[in-house]
Amino acid sequence: MPAEYGRKVAFTWDSSPIEGVREKSLTINGEPVNVTSDEDNGWQMLLDEDAETSVQIELSGVTKDTILRHAKLSGGASLQATATLTYTDGYEISGTFQLGAYSEGQPYNEAVTFTATLMSTGVVTGTEGP
């Protein structure tokens, strides 16, 4: 994948872009299984497959719409939706995510900003573009 601008990586929540996003970060977590026993002489041994995999997306930016704030305040089913990151080469990371933490900053005489953390629930896929 060639280098690219972060601003050109698109984020959508429930097929809609969230206005004002400036930064996006992606973390793919894997929980290894430790199978170390006496015969390993103190050397850690891990299975070659993660026991549990999860994906986290963090967003921050200038608050230009209230989609995520409203989802967090409404709770229930509105906390989960399809989230997608689309890179300029067409590669997409997509799955069902739950809106975890949401916060806003309202500094005096400056733009209102937000941060949000989205946590995967179920399978997240990565697909090549056209």
Side-chain angles (χ1 to χ4, degrees):
M1 178 171 90
E4 61 188 312
Y5 287 107
R7 70 174 182 256
K8 293 187 177 185
V9 176
F11 172 79
T12 58
W13 174 256
D14 200 20
S15 301
S16 300
I18 300 297
E19 299 294 323
V21 174
R22 287 185 173 170
E23 294 184 27
K24 300 157 284 286
S25 67
L26 171 72
T27 304
I28 302 170
N29 300 303
E31 299 297 326
V33 177
N34 188 329
V35 294
T36 308
S37 60
D38 290 349
E39 61 272 11
D40 297 316
N41 294 316
W43 288 98
Q44 177 176 273
M45 299 298 292
L46 302 174
L47 290 180
D48 62 358
E49 180 181 339
D50 288 336
E52 183 175 282
T53 303
S54 65
V55 177
Q56 185 171 307
I57 297 173
E58 293 185 20
L59 307 172
S60 65
V62 176
T63 304
K64 291 187 175 181
D65 65 36
T66 60
I67 293 170
L68 295 178
R69 179 197 308 146
H70 181 72
K72 192 62 180 173
L73 287 172
S74 297
S78 65
L79 290 176
Q80 289 188 3
T82 299
T84 305
L85 286 171
T86 305
Y87 295 80
T88 58
D89 64 359
Y91 190 85
E92 285 189 348
I93 295 173
S94 185
T96 302
F97 284 75
Q98 180 149 335
L99 177 57
Y102 176 84
S103 64
E104 286 186 357
Q106 296 97 8
Y108 177 78
N109 218 17
E110 292 183 33
V112 174
T113 59
F114 76 95
T115 61
T117 301
L118 307 163
M119 298 168 287
S120 65
T121 177
V123 176
V124 175
T125 59
T127 57
E128 297 291 332

